[in-house]
Coordinates of all heavy atoms in Angstrom, one line a residue:
Y1 N 3.9 4.8 -3.8 CA 4.8 3.7 -3.8 C 4.4 2.7 -2.6 O 4.3 3.2 -1.5 CB 6.3 4.1 -3.5 CG 6.8 5.0 -4.6 CD1 6.8 6.4 -4.5 CD2 7.3 4.5 -5.8 CE1 7.3 7.2 -5.5 CE2 7.9 5.3 -6.8 CZ 7.8 6.7 -6.7 OH 8.3 7.5 -7.7
I2 N 4.2 1.5 -3.0 CA 3.8 0.5 -2.0 C 4.7 -0.7 -2.0 O 5.2 -1.2 -3.0 CB 2.3 0.0 -2.3 CG1 1.3 1.1 -2.3 CG2 1.9 -1.1 -1.4 CD1 -0.1 0.8 -2.6
Q3 N 5.1 -1.1 -0.8 CA 6.0 -2.3 -0.6 C 5.3 -3.5 -1.2 O 4.1 -3.8 -1.0 CB 6.3 -2.5 0.8 CG 7.4 -3.5 1.1 CD 7.7 -3.6 2.6 OE1 7.8 -2.5 3.2 NE2 8.0 -4.7 3.1
N4 N 6.1 -4.4 -1.8 CA 5.6 -5.6 -2.4 C 4.9 -6.4 -1.4 O 5.4 -6.7 -0.3 CB 6.8 -6.4 -3.0 CG 7.4 -5.8 -4.2 OD1 6.7 -5.3 -5.1 ND2 8.7 -5.8 -4.2
G5 N 3.6 -6.9 -1.7 CA 2.9 -7.7 -0.8 C 2.3 -7.1 0.4 O 1.8 -7.8 1.3
L6 N 2.3 -5.8 0.5 CA 1.8 -5.1 1.7 C 0.3 -5.4 2.0 O -0.1 -5.6 3.1 CB 2.0 -3.6 1.5 CG 1.6 -2.7 2.8 CD1 2.6 -3.0 3.9 CD2 1.6 -1.3 2.4
D7 N -0.5 -5.5 0.9 CA -1.9 -5.8 1.1 C -2.2 -7.2 1.5 O -3.3 -7.5 2.0 CB -2.7 -5.4 -0.2 CG -2.2 -6.2 -1.4 OD1 -1.0 -6.6 -1.4 OD2 -3.0 -6.5 -2.3
E8 N -1.2 -8.1 1.4 CA -1.4 -9.5 1.8 C -0.8 -9.9 3.1 O -1.4 -10.7 3.8 CB -0.8 -10.4 0.7 CG -1.4 -10.1 -0.7 CD -0.6 -10.9 -1.8 OE1 0.4 -11.5 -1.4 OE2 -1.0 -10.8 -2.9
K9 N 0.3 -9.2 3.5 CA 1.0 -9.7 4.7 C 1.4 -8.5 5.6 O 2.5 -8.5 6.2 CB 2.2 -10.5 4.3 CG 3.2 -9.7 3.4 CD 4.4 -10.6 3.0 CE 5.3 -9.8 2.0 NZ 6.4 -10.7 1.6
H10 N 0.5 -7.5 5.7 CA 0.9 -6.4 6.5 C 1.0 -6.8 8.0 O 0.1 -7.5 8.5 CB -0.2 -5.3 6.4 CG 0.2 -4.0 7.1 ND1 0.0 -3.8 8.5 CD2 0.9 -2.9 6.7 CE1 0.5 -2.6 8.8 NE2 1.0 -2.1 7.7
P11 N 2.1 -6.5 8.6 CA 2.4 -7.0 10.0 C 1.6 -6.4 11.1 O 1.6 -6.8 12.2 CB 3.9 -6.8 10.2 CG 4.2 -5.6 9.3 CD 3.3 -5.7 8.1
G12 N 0.9 -5.3 10.7 CA 0.2 -4.6 11.8 C -1.2 -5.2 12.1 O -1.5 -6.3 11.8
K13 N -2.0 -4.4 12.8 CA -3.3 -4.9 13.3 C -4.3 -4.9 12.2 O -4.0 -4.4 11.1 CB -3.7 -4.1 14.5 CG -2.8 -4.2 15.7 CD -3.3 -3.3 16.8 CE -2.3 -3.4 18.0 NZ -2.8 -2.6 19.2
R14 N -5.5 -5.4 12.5 CA -6.5 -5.4 11.4 C -6.8 -4.0 10.8 O -7.1 -3.9 9.6 CB -7.8 -6.0 12.0 CG -8.9 -6.2 11.0 CD -10.1 -6.9 11.7 NE -9.8 -8.2 12.3 CZ -10.6 -8.9 13.0 NH1 -11.9 -8.4 13.3 NH2 -10.3 -10.1 13.5
K15 N -6.9 -3.0 11.7 CA -7.2 -1.7 11.2 C -6.1 -1.2 10.2 O -6.4 -0.6 9.2 CB -7.2 -0.7 12.4 CG -7.6 0.7 11.9 CD -7.6 1.7 13.1 CE -8.1 3.1 12.6 NZ -7.2 3.6 11.5
A16 N -4.8 -1.5 10.5 CA -3.8 -1.1 9.5 C -4.0 -1.8 8.2 O -3.9 -1.1 7.1 CB -2.4 -1.5 10.1
L17 N -4.4 -3.0 8.1 CA -4.6 -3.7 6.9 C -5.9 -3.1 6.2 O -5.9 -2.9 5.0 CB -4.9 -5.2 7.1 CG -5.2 -6.0 5.8 CD1 -4.1 -5.9 4.8 CD2 -5.4 -7.5 6.2
A18 N -6.9 -2.8 7.0 CA -8.1 -2.1 6.4 C -7.7 -0.8 5.8 O -8.2 -0.4 4.7 CB -9.1 -1.9 7.5
D19 N -6.8 0.0 6.5 CA -6.4 1.3 5.9 C -5.6 1.1 4.6 O -5.7 1.9 3.7 CB -5.5 2.0 7.0 CG -6.3 2.6 8.1 OD1 -7.5 2.8 7.9 OD2 -5.7 2.9 9.2
V20 N -4.7 0.1 4.6 CA -4.0 -0.2 3.4 C -4.9 -0.4 2.2 O -4.8 0.1 1.1 CB -3.0 -1.4 3.6 CG1 -2.4 -1.8 2.2 CG2 -1.9 -1.0 4.5
L21 N -5.9 -1.3 2.4 CA -6.9 -1.6 1.4 C -7.7 -0.3 1.0 O -8.0 -0.1 -0.2 CB -7.8 -2.7 1.8 CG -7.2 -4.1 2.1 CD1 -8.2 -5.1 2.6 CD2 -6.5 -4.6 0.8
W22 N -8.0 0.5 2.0 CA -8.8 1.7 1.7 C -7.9 2.6 0.8 O -8.4 3.2 -0.2 CB -9.1 2.5 2.9 CG -10.0 3.7 2.7 CD1 -11.3 3.8 2.8 CD2 -9.5 5.0 2.4 NE1 -11.7 5.1 2.5 CE2 -10.6 5.8 2.3 CE3 -8.2 5.6 2.2 CZ2 -10.5 7.2 1.9 CZ3 -8.1 6.9 1.8 CH2 -9.3 7.7 1.7
I23 N -6.6 2.8 1.1 CA -5.7 3.6 0.3 C -5.6 3.1 -1.1 O -5.6 3.9 -2.1 CB -4.3 3.7 1.0 CG1 -4.4 4.5 2.3 CG2 -3.3 4.2 0.1 CD1 -3.2 4.4 3.2
M24 N -5.5 1.8 -1.3 CA -5.3 1.3 -2.6 C -6.6 1.5 -3.5 O -6.5 1.8 -4.7 CB -5.0 -0.2 -2.6 CG -3.7 -0.5 -1.9 SD -3.2 -2.2 -1.7 CE -2.9 -2.6 -3.4
K25 N -7.8 1.4 -2.8 CA -9.0 1.7 -3.6 C -9.1 3.1 -3.9 O -9.6 3.5 -5.0 CB -10.2 1.2 -2.7 CG -10.4 -0.3 -2.6 CD -11.6 -0.7 -1.7 CE -11.7 -2.2 -1.6 NZ -12.8 -2.5 -0.7
A26 N -8.7 4.0 -2.9 CA -8.8 5.4 -3.2 C -7.8 5.8 -4.3 O -8.2 6.7 -5.1 CB -8.4 6.2 -1.9
A27 N -6.7 5.2 -4.3 CA -5.7 5.5 -5.4 C -6.3 5.2 -6.8 O -6.1 5.9 -7.7 CB -4.4 4.8 -5.1
K28 N -7.0 4.1 -6.8 CA -7.6 3.6 -8.1 C -8.7 4.6 -8.5 O -8.8 5.0 -9.7 CB -8.1 2.2 -7.9 CG -8.7 1.7 -9.2 CD -9.2 0.2 -9.1 CE -9.7 -0.3 -10.4 NZ -10.2 -1.7 -10.2
R29 N -9.5 5.0 -7.5 CA -10.6 5.9 -7.8 C -10.0 7.3 -8.3 O -10.6 8.0 -9.1 CB -11.4 6.1 -6.5 CG -12.7 7.0 -6.7 CD -13.5 7.1 -5.5 NE -12.8 7.8 -4.4 CZ -12.3 7.2 -3.3 NH1 -12.4 5.9 -3.1 NH2 -11.8 7.9 -2.4
L30 N -8.9 7.7 -7.7 CA -8.3 9.0 -8.0 C -7.4 8.9 -9.3 O -6.8 9.9 -9.7 CB -7.5 9.6 -6.9 CG -8.3 9.9 -5.6 CD1 -7.4 10.2 -4.4 CD2 -9.3 11.1 -5.8
E31 N -7.3 7.7 -9.8 CA -6.4 7.5 -11.0 C -5.0 7.9 -10.7 O -4.3 8.5 -11.5 CB -7.0 8.2 -12.2 CG -8.3 7.7 -12.6 CD -8.8 8.4 -13.9 OE1 -8.3 9.4 -14.3 OE2 -9.8 7.9 -14.5
L32 N -4.6 7.6 -9.4 CA -3.2 7.9 -9.0 C -2.3 6.8 -9.4 O -2.6 5.6 -9.2 CB -3.2 8.1 -7.5 CG -1.9 8.2 -6.8 CD1 -1.2 9.5 -7.2 CD2 -2.0 8.3 -5.2
R33 N -1.2 7.2 -10.0 CA -0.2 6.2 -10.4 C 0.3 5.4 -9.2 O 0.7 6.0 -8.2 CB 0.9 6.9 -11.1 CG 2.0 5.9 -11.6 CD 3.0 6.7 -12.4 NE 4.4 6.3 -12.2 CZ 5.5 7.0 -12.4 NH1 5.4 8.3 -12.6 NH2 6.7 6.5 -12.2
V34 N 0.3 4.1 -9.2 CA 0.8 3.2 -8.1 C 1.9 2.4 -8.6 O 1.8 1.7 -9.6 CB -0.4 2.4 -7.5 CG1 0.2 1.5 -6.4 CG2 -1.5 3.2 -7.0
E35 N 3.0 2.3 -7.8 CA 4.1 1.5 -8.1 C 4.5 0.6 -6.9 O 4.6 1.1 -5.8 CB 5.4 2.3 -8.5 CG 5.2 3.1 -9.8 CD 6.5 3.7 -10.3 OE1 7.6 3.4 -9.7 OE2 6.5 4.5 -11.3
T36 N 4.6 -0.7 -7.1 CA 5.1 -1.6 -6.1 C 6.6 -1.7 -6.1 O 7.2 -1.7 -7.2 CB 4.5 -3.0 -6.2 OG1 4.8 -3.5 -7.5 CG2 3.0 -2.9 -6.0
T37 N 7.2 -1.7 -5.0 CA 8.7 -1.7 -4.9 C 9.1 -2.4 -3.7 O 8.3 -2.9 -2.9 CB 9.2 -0.3 -5.0 OG1 10.6 -0.3 -5.1 CG2 8.8 0.5 -3.8
S38 N 10.4 -2.5 -3.5 CA 11.0 -3.2 -2.3 C 11.0 -2.3 -1.1 O 11.0 -1.1 -1.2 CB 12.4 -3.7 -2.7 OG 13.3 -2.5 -2.8
K39 N 11.2 -2.9 0.1 CA 11.3 -2.2 1.3 C 12.6 -1.3 1.3 O 12.6 -0.2 1.7 CB 11.4 -3.2 2.5 CG 11.5 -2.5 3.8 CD 11.5 -3.5 5.0 CE 11.7 -2.8 6.3 NZ 11.7 -3.8 7.4
H40 N 13.6 -1.9 0.7 CA 14.9 -1.1 0.6 C 14.7 0.2 -0.2 O 15.2 1.2 0.2 CB 16.0 -2.0 -0.1 CG 17.3 -1.2 -0.4 ND1 18.1 -0.9 0.6 CD2 17.8 -0.8 -1.5 CE1 19.2 -0.2 0.1 NE2 19.0 -0.1 -1.2
A41 N 14.0 0.1 -1.3 CA 13.8 1.3 -2.2 C 13.0 2.3 -1.4 O 13.3 3.5 -1.5 CB 13.1 0.9 -3.4
L42 N 12.0 1.9 -0.6 CA 11.3 2.9 0.2 C 12.1 3.5 1.3 O 12.0 4.6 1.6 CB 10.1 2.2 0.8 CG 9.0 1.7 -0.1 CD1 7.9 1.0 0.6 CD2 8.5 2.8 -1.0
N43 N 13.0 2.6 1.9 CA 14.0 3.1 2.9 C 14.8 4.3 2.3 O 15.1 5.3 3.0 CB 14.9 2.0 3.4 CG 14.1 1.0 4.3 OD1 13.0 1.3 4.8 ND2 14.7 -0.1 4.5
V44 N 15.3 4.1 1.1 CA 16.1 5.1 0.4 C 15.3 6.4 0.2 O 15.8 7.5 0.4 CB 16.6 4.6 -0.9 CG1 17.3 5.7 -1.7 CG2 17.6 3.4 -0.7

């Protein structure tokens, strides 16, 4: 589960954004189901 727009506007440092992009590529390579959702849903 990934917060909407996380790969575009991650508030962290450059490394954090690079890690987010790495995770998304790895999920695609592993054929892992990915769902984008709201911050509130993740909080729950």
Side-chain angles (χ1 to χ4, degrees):
Y1 297 97
I2 297 179
Q3 186 175 324
N4 292 318
L6 184 66
D7 57 332
E8 300 172 358
K9 57 183 180 181
H10 189 274
K13 298 179 180 178
R14 184 179 300 175
K15 183 183 183 303
L17 179 57
D19 285 341
V20 169
L21 296 176
W22 185 96
I23 289 168
M24 295 178 74
K25 289 178 181 178
K28 184 177 181 179
R29 184 176 68 253
L30 296 171
E31 298 182 344
L32 174 62
R33 181 175 145 206
V34 178
E35 292 188 10
T36 56
T37 188
S38 67
K39 181 178 180 180
H40 172 72
L42 295 180
N43 288 344
V44 172

